[in-house]
């Protein structure tokens, strides 16, 4: 079976995430898409966010109507460890390479793993922990957002995997679509998903008391209201 893995902060999970999962599912014939909220996203450690438990609960709600979308607790907080002087140890960042390797250990030989990602996140991939090894670990499905081209994907690769400038120059005018196989990395490119929504815009919408049903599933909108999330942020 082809299996997709969608990691994120999901603060909150929204229609953009679901559109990404659906488009990837169709494109690469995914039999399952695993949604993995990060307890500590490495690139957002200084940012305040809703607790892991709220973010996970919203992922459960958002995926409940789709049989093939599965919420995962793989990056859940570890049990609190007390350090020597009674201080609580800082939780460790969740690195995607560790999660991908953990998931792979549970797969059958005939399964193939695909990591789903938006181009805005992929643009920073070279800074991710063990980026080169990660790109070799599984296929990537990269979704475009308005304004991005194939050159942005090629230039985002870690330096040693990046094609020469003479190769990528014509990419600047090419839409993000098709399949790119570079130095062992396999990238499936999805054109614009047209779900112009981000978690940031949703948190802002809550703070300014706007309706959320345009951006999130009704059950998630209800949960945000019930639990009083994102007010005053
Ligand atoms: P924030 O605004 O807080 O940064 P986000 O929704 O952009 O939130 P995440 O929840 O971490 O960020 O996103 C998880 C993954 O989903 C990332 O790979 C991101 O690029 C992708 N993604 C987020 N929004 C969209 C969208 N509207 N269309 C396609 N992909 C998206």
């Amino acid at each position: 079976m082809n299996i997709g893995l969608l990691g994120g902060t999901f603060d909150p999970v929204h229609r953009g995430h679901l559109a990404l999962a659906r488009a990837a599912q169709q494109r690469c014939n995914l039999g399952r898409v695993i949604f993995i909220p990060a307890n500590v996203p490495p690139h957002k450690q200084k940012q305040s966010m809703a607790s892991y438990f709220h973010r996970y609960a919203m992922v459960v709600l958002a995926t409940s109507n789709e049989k093939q979308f599965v919420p995962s607790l793989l990056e859940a907080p570890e049990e609190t460890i007390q350090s020597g002087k009674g201080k609580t140890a800082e939780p460790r960042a969740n690195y995607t390479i560790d999660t991908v390797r953990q998931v792979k250990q549970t797969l059958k030989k005939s399964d193939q793993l695909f990591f789903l990602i938006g181009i805005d996140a992929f643009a920073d991939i070279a800074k991710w922990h063990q980026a080169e090894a990660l790109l070799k670990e599984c296929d990537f499905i990269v979704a475009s957002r308005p304004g991005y081209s194939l050159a942005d994907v090629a230039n985002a690769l870690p330096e040693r995997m990046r094609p020469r400038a003479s190769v990528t120059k014509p990419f600047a005018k090419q839409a993000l679509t098709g399949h790119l196989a570079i130095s062992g990395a396999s990238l499936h490119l999805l054109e614009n998903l047209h779900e112009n929504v981000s978690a940031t815009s949703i948190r802002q919408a809550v703070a300014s008391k706007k309706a959320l049903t345009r951006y999130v599933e009704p059950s998630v909108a209800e949960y945000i209201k019930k639990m009083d999330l994102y007010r005053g942020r």
Side-chain angles (χ1 to χ4, degrees):
M1 186 195 285
N2 288 350
I3 296 173
L5 199 157
L6 175 54
T9 312
F10 301 122
D11 191 22
V13 62
H14 53 67
R15 292 192 196 279
H17 299 128
L18 296 172
L20 169 57
R22 282 189 201 109
Q25 190 181 26
Q26 281 196 346
R27 170 66 179 278
C28 293
N29 195 23
L30 306 179
R32 188 184 308 152
V33 181
I34 308 173
F35 285 61
I36 311 187
N39 178 38
V40 182
H43 57 300
K44 291 184 183 168
Q45 289 189 62
K46 293 200 181 110
Q47 196 172 308
S48 77
M49 60 184 96
S51 86
Y52 174 85
F53 302 100
H54 284 314
R55 292 182 287 115
Y56 178 76
M58 290 188 279
V59 168
V60 172
L61 291 170
T63 54
S64 63
N65 290 329
E66 310 249 6
K67 226 169 85 197
Q68 288 149 335
F69 292 178
V70 185
S72 163
L73 288 163
L74 254 180
E75 295 189 356
E78 291 165 25
E79 278 185 37
T80 312
I81 304 156
Q82 298 288 326
S83 68
K85 291 173 188 146
K87 280 188 196 154
T88 306
E90 285 289 311
R92 277 190 303 139
N94 303 108
Y95 292 117
T96 300
I97 184 135
D98 299 331
T99 305
V100 163
R101 285 179 175 158
Q102 254 176 293
V103 171
K104 279 177 87 172
Q105 279 175 8
T106 68
L107 300 185
K108 296 196 199 109
K109 260 198 171 153
S110 54
D111 291 336
Q112 197 185 345
L113 194 63
F114 296 74
F115 188 79
L116 281 49
I117 186 167
I119 177 68
D120 55 316
F122 191 81
D124 283 330
I125 195 83
K127 294 186 208 141
W128 286 27
H129 186 55
Q130 296 190 32
E132 268 189 59
L134 172 63
L135 282 154
K136 288 184 175 150
E137 209 52 74
C138 64
D139 280 33
F140 271 61
I141 304 177
V142 186
S144 188
R145 313 284 284 268
Y148 285 95
S149 75
L150 191 57
D152 296 307
V153 172
N155 293 331
L157 290 165
E159 206 170 335
R160 284 201 304 174
M161 298 177 110
R162 207 175 297 156
R164 285 193 312 274
S166 57
V167 176
T168 57
K169 214 171 160 206
F171 289 2
K173 292 199 176 90
Q174 279 181 39
L176 217 143
T177 183
H179 179 242
L180 198 62
I182 294 179
S183 331
S186 175
L187 311 174
H188 306 263
L189 309 170
L190 297 174
E191 283 194 76
N192 292 341
L193 297 177
H194 306 295
E195 281 291 348
N196 195 13
V197 51
S198 69
T200 306
S201 61
I202 295 167
R203 296 191 298 271
Q204 285 164 354
V206 178
S208 50
K209 299 194 169 73
K210 285 191 191 138
L212 296 187
T213 35
R214 246 184 67 210
Y215 310 114
V216 298
E217 294 298 289
S219 53
V220 173
E222 194 52 45
Y223 185 88
I224 291 173
K225 199 168 154 202
K226 196 192 279 178
M227 305 310 286
D228 209 11
L229 301 180
Y230 310 124
R231 290 258 303 268
R233 271 220 255 157

